[in-house]
Amino acid sequence: MVTSSNPLEENFSLVRQRIREAEQRFSREPGSVELLAVSKTFPAEALRRAAELDQRSFGENYLQEALEKQQVLADLALCWHFIGPLQSNKSRAVAENFDWLHSLDRLKLAQRLSKQRPEGLTPLNVCLQVNISGEESKSGLVPDKLIEVASGVASLPGLKLRGLMALPAPSDDFNEQRRAFAAVRKCYEDLCHAGFELDTLSMGMSGDLEAAVAEGATIVRIGSALFGQRSYKK
Ligand SMILES: *Cc1c(COP(=O)(O)O)cnc(C)c1O
């Protein structure tokens, strides 16, 4: 049933349907791919309406913006994921106010976060961001560094290493999208074979979630397909 008067509701049902269909098409267990709603640049009111549609997990990129929304939405039980680049001098606010960090890319930052994670909270869930596109993107760890950094992170009491996150160069070509995600999956499997107990592959966005699900994504990070085009480039 299409209710064009409520685009957010329509968008959520379309994205949920895309995920279900991709799970089925690529022989993934039903319900094994979690939808993370990427709400950067959208107001707290949009997140509240998403929460009314049973969305609990939100991804934010900009700390100040995220903290403001968290205050406004403090009456809701939400799960907050920080997915943007994180400067060391802002680590404390992430350690204190988030459940997940997807963009961990250096051990120094991990050590700070672990120290700053409040005692009363469960360890901060972290993914290492891996850079498989080489020089095209500056953020993320090169695959050769993953085992070394993962070893350091795994020993930190305030963090729980959950897996990998990737943000490959955008492509309109399904096979190309899939190749990039396959490279991430290979890194993930190498870490598992090295003895790390991981359960999370955070990859896939509005334009390439099917390819990510095909290659084992367990969290897809979806922004524009849910909330619409962002009005300014961020
Ligand atoms: C903005 C963003 C997304 C969502 O991108 P869409 O194309 O709007 O779905 C996902 N991951 C990260 C890290 C982002 O910054």
Side-chain angles (χ1 to χ4, degrees):
M1 189 175 59
V2 175
T3 52
S4 53
S5 56
N6 190 342
L8 192 72
E9 187 171 356
E10 234 177 88
N11 290 347
F12 267 88
S13 61
L14 284 172
V15 168
R16 285 167 176 159
Q17 189 180 332
R18 279 175 67 187
I19 292 171
R20 275 197 305 274
E21 284 174 2
E23 284 172 343
Q24 201 167 35
R25 175 167 159 214
F26 299 107
S27 307
R28 299 285 310 277
E29 202 178 301
S32 59
V33 179
E34 185 191 351
L35 170 58
L36 178 64
V38 175
S39 42
K40 62 181 173 203
T41 82
F42 289 94
E45 198 43 45
L47 285 75
R48 185 175 292 283
R49 289 196 293 127
E52 284 163 10
L53 302 170
D54 290 326
Q55 181 64 32
R56 292 284 150 213
S57 297
F58 293 90
E60 290 280 341
N61 295 54
Y62 307 101
L63 193 54
Q64 201 49 46
E65 181 191 325
L67 295 174
E68 286 166 21
K69 289 179 209 176
Q70 288 178 346
Q71 287 225 317
V72 176
L73 302 170
D75 58 308
L76 301 175
L78 302 178
C79 185
W80 294 95
H81 295 234
F82 195 84
I83 64 172
L86 180 59
Q87 295 169 289
S88 297
N89 63 356
K90 295 186 175 167
S91 61
R92 181 176 295 279
V94 169
E96 292 180 348
N97 296 288
F98 283 81
D99 302 292
W100 284 74
L101 171 66
H102 289 229
S103 49
L104 185 59
D105 60 358
R106 55 204 192 276
L107 190 52
K108 260 268 164 56
L109 176 62
Q111 289 162 342
R112 281 177 69 97
L113 287 160
S114 179
K115 278 209 199 79
Q116 293 167 338
R117 183 69 170 172
E119 292 270 339
L121 298 182
T122 55
L124 179 67
N125 296 294
V126 297
C127 292
L128 297 179
Q129 185 173 351
V130 57
N131 177 2
I132 36 88
S133 331
E135 66 285 354
E136 286 168 46
S137 133
K138 277 147 279 158
S139 48
L141 288 154
V142 294
D144 286 353
K145 285 270 182 203
L146 284 174
I147 288 200
E148 181 192 327
V149 176
S151 303
V153 171
S155 73
L156 296 170
L159 304 185
K160 180 158 179 54
L161 180 62
R162 299 293 297 266
L164 297 180
M165 182 274 242
L167 191 59
S171 162
D172 290 334
D173 181 71
F174 179 80
N175 293 317
E176 207 172 295
Q177 293 170 357
R178 202 167 162 169
R179 265 196 300 280
F181 292 130
V184 182
R185 173 189 214 149
K186 167 78 164 58
C187 294
Y188 179 85
E189 285 169 355
D190 288 348
L191 283 172
C192 293
H193 291 145
F196 295 96
E197 285 181 25
L198 308 178
D199 60 9
T200 302
L201 255 180
S202 165
M203 58 189 193
M205 311 199 298
S206 295
D208 56 15
L209 80 83
E210 285 81 4
V213 170
E215 293 298 339
T218 64
I219 298 180
V220 291
R221 307 179 311 268
I222 310 298
S224 51
L226 295 173
F227 295 105
Q229 260 349 96
R230 290 178 284 276
S231 55
Y232 51 107
K233 178 93 181 127
K234 269 198 168 182

